[in-house]
Amino acid sequence: MKIVVCVKHVPDAQGDRRFTDDHTVDREGVDGLLSELDEYAVEEALTIAEARSASGEDSTVTVLCMGPEGATDAVRKALQMGADAGVHVCDDALAGSDALATSKVLAAALRTLEFDLVLTGMASTDGLMSVVPAMLAQRLGLPQVTLAGKVELDGTTVRIERDGDSATEVIEAPLPALVSVTDQINDPRYPSFKGIMAAKKKPVNTLSLADLGLSPDDVGLSAAWSVVEAVAARPPRQAGQRITDEGDGGTRLVEFLAGAKIV
Amino acid sequence: MTTSVSVESSFELSRDHEDFRRVVRDFAAEHVAPHSAAWDAAARFPVELVPRMGELGLFGLIVPEEYGGSGGDFTSLCVAIEELGRVDQSVGITLSAGVGLGITPLLTYGTAEQKARWLPDLVAGRALAAFGLTEPEAGSDAGATRTRAVLDEASREWVIDGAKAFITNSGTSITSVITITAVTGRRPDDSPELSTILVPAGSAGLVVDPPYRKLGWHASDTHGLTFAGCRVPEANLLGQRGAGLRQFLATLDDGRIAISALALGLARACLEACVEYAGSRVAFGRPIGANQSIAFAIADLAVAVDSARLLTYRAAALKDRLRAGDGSVDRAQVAAAAARAKLHTSTTAMDAARLATQVHGGSGFIEEYPVARYYRDAKILEIGEGTSEIQRLVIARGLGLPVD
C-alpha cells in the first residue's frame, strides 16, 4: 500500500498572524508549523501503513507539500512522526497561489508518484477553504471521499464514515482514491526522539515548477482567479457590559437580552 | 590542582534538540499542565502519565536502541526535564530520577542479564526504578551508610537490614526495582565496604513506608524504606562488590546536571509568570510593571535565568563529550561544571519563586495562580542531589582551596 499525504505549512495559529502588503498571508513574520488538521491525515496514513506492514504488505507513506523554503519544516515534522519520504514543491513563482493553482501543482506532483491512496486534512488552518481535496480528486480523476471520521481499507476499496448532524454516512470507493479526514478520526502521535533522529536520514525530494512541467504563468498571485482588494483588521471587541447583581440581576439580564432582541 | 571549566564555553543546542523541545513542550501543555494543580492539591502521583512519557521516548533518551532507547545524548534529557519542569516540577523529577537514578546505574553497571530483565519495561514507561542511597543518618556522607547486606553462604542470598530515606519513585504501583547501597563488609583498613544491590519491588522483608508529607513536589512519589531481613539473590549485586561508593558518585554528577535543568524549568516558569502578571495587573491606574522596582527586579531575573541556562547546558555538553569518549574532557571537569550549574540554577529558581510570589502580591500566597506551587517546589532544588553547601565544597576543592 502506497499512501501519499498532502500537508501544508501554516503560520502558528497561536502567533500574531498578519497579511503582507500584497494581501497574502505573512509567512515570514510568524513561526510556521505543520497544519494541525494535517497531523490527523499523517497519523491515519501511519496507522494504515503500520497495520498493512504488520500483515506483511510492503507499505510506505510519502508526504507532499507545496510551499516556500521554510515549508520543509512541515515535511520534516511528518517524517519525524514516522513518514518514509517527503516531496517538497518549492518555487518562487508559487507565491500567492490560490486553491486552483495549488491543486494543479499538487496534482502534477502526484502524477510523478505511485499511490493507492491520497490522504489530506479536512482544511488548512490558515485558508480554511476546504476545497483543495475536491479539486485534487477532480484533476486526478480519483473518487473523492471527504471528511472521513473513520477509514477502513481492504485490498481494492476504501470505506469511510462521515458523521453529520443527523446521520452517519458510510461511503465506499475503489482504490486509488482521495480521502480527507476530520479532526475526530484519531489522536495524532508526537514525534519521539528516535523519530526526530531518524527523520534526518529520510529522503526529501525538492521539485521546481519546471521539474513538474508547469509554467510560472499558471500559478502564483498573478494567475489567481480572485483578487483580495483590501484587508482590514477587525475592530477590537468592545468590552462587555457588566451587570452587578443588586437584587435585580435576573431582571436586568432579561432586559439586556430583550434589548438585543435575543429573547 | 585547579579544575578549570571556564574555557569550556563553546556549545549550542542543535536543531534536533530544539525540535525535540517543541515536542516535549506540546506534550506538557496538553497532558501535564491542565492537571498539575489538581495532582498537587491531592498529592497524587500521576502513574498513568508514565507510559505516555515512555511512548514519547523520554525514559529511553540516553539508552541504547537494543533496550528500546533512542541512543540520544544527555543534553536531550536535560531539554525534556526542563520543559516538563517548566509546567510541573513533580513530573520533571519523576523523569529525572527515573532515568538518572533508576535507569543509569543499571545501564552503566548491570550485567547483560540484569539489563535484559529490567531495562525494557523501564524504558517503555511500564515500570519505574529507584535509587536508595540516602539514609536517616547518611546523606552526602555516604561513608556513614548503616544499611547492611550479609551474604548467606548457604542460600547464596543477600540478607539486607537497615533503612533508606527520601527515595523518589520507590513506592509507585509500577515500581519494579530499587537499587540500594549497603555495607557488605570491612576493608583491610576497617573502612566499610560499600556495594550496590538490586532489590525487586515486593521482596519479602522490604517495607515501603507511607509517603512523606512534603513542602513541595506533592505529585512525586517519595518514601522511606525499611529492610528487615530482606533477601535477594546473590546475582542481584550491581557492578563489583565494594564499588558502591565510586558508582554512586558518578550517578550524582549526572543527577546534579539533571536537577539544574529541572530548576531552570522552574525559574523560566516564574520569569514568564512575572512578565505576564506585571504587564496586566493594574494598580494605581497603571500596570504594576511600570514601576521600576518591579520591572528592574524582573530584568535581573531574566539575566539570572539566562546564565543558569548557559551553565546547565555547558555542563550537559561536557557530560556528552565525556560520554562520547572525548579525551579532552575528564570526570573532574564534568563534576565541577555540574556543581556550578546546580548551585547557580537552584539559587536562581528559589530567587525566581520568591520574586514571582512577591510580584503576584496576595494572589501569590493563594493557590489560585501556579506561583504558590512554584514557591513550594523551589526549596528542594537547593537541597536535593547535594545541598548548595555541598556544591560550594565541591567547587572550592576544585579550585584547590584547603577547605574542610
Side-chain angles (χ1 to χ4, degrees), chain B residues 338-404:
Chain B
R340 289 166 197 220
K342 201 264 177 180
L343 173 64
H344 177 67
T345 311
S346 59
T347 305
T348 298
M350 192 67 231
D351 290 347
R354 191 184 306 107
L355 179 65
T357 46
Q358 193 69 22
V359 165
H360 281 68
S363 297
F365 191 65
I366 56 175
E367 301 282 354
E368 182 184 346
Y369 289 87
V371 292
R373 170 162 55 89
Y374 299 159
Y375 191 88
R376 289 186 282 100
D377 285 342
K379 188 59 213 168
I380 183 65
L381 297 166
E382 294 184 320
I383 298 169
E385 300 283 335
T387 60
S388 291
E389 291 74 17
I390 290 288
Q391 309 307 328
R392 290 190 175 93
L393 190 66
V394 170
I395 296 163
R397 282 181 178 161
L399 294 170
L401 290 166
V403 61
D404 277 339

Side-chain angles (χ1 to χ4, degrees), chain B residues 101-146:
Chain B
L101 302 175
I103 288 172
T104 303
L106 263 165
L107 191 60
T108 314
Y109 307 110
T111 62
E113 291 78 16
Q114 287 168 339
K115 291 188 206 181
R117 175 173 176 193
W118 302 110
L119 283 179
D121 282 348
L122 294 172
V123 168
R126 292 187 293 266
L128 283 166
F131 191 71
L133 166 70
T134 302
E135 300 191 355
E137 308 286 329
S140 293
D141 176 19
T145 296
R146 290 190 182 175

Side-chain angles (χ1 to χ4, degrees), chain A residues 130-175:
Chain A
S130 204
V131 293
V132 168
M135 291 176 174
L136 202 47
Q138 177 73 23
R139 288 187 187 280
L140 292 168
L142 295 175
Q144 56 154 312
V145 192
T146 52
L147 301 177
K150 186 178 178 189
V151 175
E152 286 177 335
L153 287 158
D154 64 31
T156 55
T157 58
V158 57
R159 181 186 297 123
I160 70 139
E161 291 183 10
R162 181 192 290 154
D163 292 319
D165 287 341
S166 56
T168 295
E169 298 171 281
V170 178
I171 301 159
E172 194 177 275
L175 295 175

Side-chain angles (χ1 to χ4, degrees), chain B residues 80-92:
Chain B
I81 292 169
E82 180 195 343
E83 288 299 328
L84 287 176
R86 177 170 157 264
V87 300
D88 192 315
Q89 289 280 294
S90 293
V91 174

Side-chain angles (χ1 to χ4, degrees), chain A residues 12 14 31-33 36 39 70 72-73 76-77 80 187-197 200-201, chain B residues 15-17 19-23 26-28 30-31 52 55-57 61 65 68-73 76:
Chain A
D12 188 346
Q14 313 265 328
D31 279 351
L33 41 70
E36 286 174 18
E39 287 187 14
T72 189
D73 281 2
R76 205 172 71 244
K77 171 82 179 276
Q80 290 171 346
D187 186 10
R189 69 193 67 186
Y190 294 94
S192 67
F193 186 76
K194 201 187 274 189
I196 290 173
M197 301 304 283
K200 293 198 293 185
K201 299 188 188 104
Chain B
R15 174 120 199 212
D16 297 330
H17 291 128
D19 279 354
F20 182 58
R21 178 188 296 282
R22 184 155 195 158
V23 170
D26 290 348
F27 175 84
E30 187 178 351
H31 295 292
R52 280 183 166 272
E55 281 171 30
L56 207 54
L61 284 171
E65 298 197 10
S70 51
D73 57 14
S76 308

Side-chain angles (χ1 to χ4, degrees), chain A residues 44-66:
Chain A
E44 197 61 22
L46 295 174
T47 306
I48 293 169
E50 284 163 0
R52 311 291 287 201
S53 296
S55 59
E57 182 188 350
D58 196 23
S59 298
T60 59
V61 176
T62 303
V63 285
L64 169 61
C65 180
M66 173 187 125

